[in-house]
Amino acid sequence: MLESLAHQQDHLDTLYRAMADRRFLVLTGAGISTPSGIPDYRDREGVRRGKAPMMYQEFLATPQARRRYWARAMLGWPRVRVAQPNAAHRALATLQQRRRISGLITQNVDALHDQAGSQEVIELHGSLHRVLCLDCQQRSQRDAIQHLMETQNPYLAGVDAVQAPDGDTLLDPAFEARFEVPHCPHCNGERLKPDVVFFGENVAPPTAAKAMAAVEQAEGLLVVGSSLMAYSAFRLCKAMVELGKPVIAINLGKTRGDELLQVKIEGSCEQLLPLLADRLQ
């Protein structure tokens, strides 16, 4: 325990020295939300857990694929909806309110940074709390679409499915065949999609540009809970290094950007970030 506390103090000192006189941009990944009960995609070696998620091209290709996606997602949404920000989310909101960080980019789609009080969060991969119609481009609140699905598919009430990342579940295919896909409340189209960036889909150009502008304006980058395996996040680290600015990571396990990091801290962000917020008054 004493060694653990000593390591924690060393980590805190390292972060404080780097960030005391510079305003870092913060980039967060799935690791910051796992203490809130939301599973992550990868293990400590950066290897994806379980089966691959649905690709964007597959989702677009057939009504059957969309039926499979929404049947599983209907059962996964309640856990995302009730998830609460943890101490790490709240610490980052505090640091932003004190103007100790320059901004916040997240790869997560759970909206927990918003719920913790962070402002103007750049959602690199969108949010599960919104649903986009691919036919009329109108957005709906996920809770409204959830109500539609639960009303149309009462046979799934009480079905237990193992939670997977990003509101997905591991549902027995036998439950998928009779699932009624929700239609858009605006145009009655059946091509509804969660307002998130699927695997195989590109980040929206305005979002990517906003993230890169935040990199250019910051004095360093703090990566929290991300393996950086998604290129949309890795490229921000590369850009920061090319600008001659430091990149620090708090992450349990391997990252794609290990060779780019000035410092890597294998510690708990839920423990370290509140201590850092206390120190950076």
Side-chain angles (χ1 to χ4, degrees), residues 33 36 38 69-70 73 76-85 89 106 108-116 123 125-133 138-147 149 163 166-167 186 193-198:
S33 291
S36 294
I38 296 179
Y69 174 85
W70 281 115
W77 170 246
R79 183 179 291 189
V80 176
R81 181 177 54 200
V82 302
Q84 295 295 310
H89 296 105
T106 188
N108 299 338
V109 294
D110 51 35
L112 291 180
H113 286 300
D114 288 331
Q115 292 175 35
E123 294 175 331
H125 297 153
S127 172
L128 281 176
H129 289 254
R130 302 183 301 267
V131 175
L132 172 68
C133 176
Q138 293 291 313
R139 286 175 170 81
S140 303
Q141 289 300 307
R142 174 55 190 268
D143 273 338
I145 302 302
Q146 183 75 9
H147 178 70
M149 291 191 288
Q163 191 80 14
D166 290 345
H186 304 281
K193 169 186 173 290
D195 196 12
V196 301
V197 178
F198 272 51

Side-chain angles (χ1 to χ4, degrees), residues 32 40 147 181 237:
I32 198 173
D40 58 0
H147 178 70
V181 173
C237 295

Side-chain angles (χ1 to χ4, degrees), residues 96-271:
Q96 186 183 38
Q97 287 157 12
R98 293 179 187 155
R99 300 184 59 79
R100 301 306 306 238
I101 60 175
S102 64
L104 182 57
I105 300 173
T106 188
Q107 297 171 256
N108 299 338
V109 294
D110 51 35
L112 291 180
H113 286 300
D114 288 331
Q115 292 175 35
S118 291
Q119 302 294 313
E120 297 181 20
V121 179
I122 299 173
E123 294 175 331
L124 208 55
H125 297 153
S127 172
L128 281 176
H129 289 254
R130 302 183 301 267
V131 175
L132 172 68
C133 176
L134 297 175
D135 294 323
C136 72
Q137 300 302 307
Q138 293 291 313
R139 286 175 170 81
S140 303
Q141 289 300 307
R142 174 55 190 268
D143 273 338
I145 302 302
Q146 183 75 9
H147 178 70
L148 272 178
M149 291 191 288
E150 290 174 355
T151 301
Q152 294 170 346
N153 299 282
Y155 76 96
L156 282 177
V159 170
D160 192 28
V162 176
Q163 191 80 14
D166 290 345
D168 194 9
T169 52
L170 306 180
L171 179 64
D172 188 319
F175 288 109
E176 297 167 6
R178 49 190 283 224
F179 186 82
E180 288 197 35
V181 173
H183 285 217
C184 174
H186 304 281
C187 74
N188 203 40
E190 66 87 34
R191 295 200 312 152
L192 288 178
K193 169 186 173 290
D195 196 12
V196 301
V197 178
F198 272 51
F199 282 82
E201 185 180 8
N202 293 325
V203 172
T207 304
K210 204 173 185 181
M212 194 56 73
V215 164
E216 290 166 359
Q217 292 160 14
E219 294 177 284
L221 180 67
L222 176 63
V223 177
V224 179
S226 175
S227 65
L228 299 173
M229 293 300 174
Y231 188 72
S232 55
F234 177 67
R235 69 189 286 267
L236 300 178
C237 295
K238 279 185 64 179
M240 191 67 81
V241 170
E242 287 163 5
L243 290 167
K245 302 172 186 177
V247 179
I248 297 173
I250 305 171
N251 190 67
L252 294 170
K254 179 181 178 181
T255 84
R256 183 180 182 179
D258 278 355
E259 72 286 353
L260 302 176
L261 303 175
Q262 187 179 70
V263 177
K264 181 179 178 184
I265 296 171
E266 295 226 20
S268 162
C269 60
E270 194 184 16
Q271 293 176 1

Side-chain angles (χ1 to χ4, degrees), residues 17-81:
R17 282 194 299 271
M19 298 176 66
D21 299 316
R22 284 177 289 197
R23 292 179 71 212
F24 273 53
L25 175 67
V26 179
L27 168 67
T28 67
I32 198 173
S33 291
T34 51
S36 294
I38 296 179
D40 58 0
Y41 270 110
R42 299 180 187 276
D43 64 19
R44 287 188 176 220
E45 293 302 310
V47 177
R48 184 182 290 159
R49 305 178 199 273
K51 64 180 191 178
M54 184 174 291
M55 301 292 287
Y56 181 55
Q57 294 74 14
E58 182 187 0
F59 182 85
L60 288 181
T62 66
Q64 290 79 9
R66 292 190 288 279
R67 179 183 299 119
R68 185 165 75 253
Y69 174 85
W70 281 115
R72 300 187 326 205
M74 186 190 108
L75 296 179
W77 170 246
R79 183 179 291 189
V80 176
R81 181 177 54 200

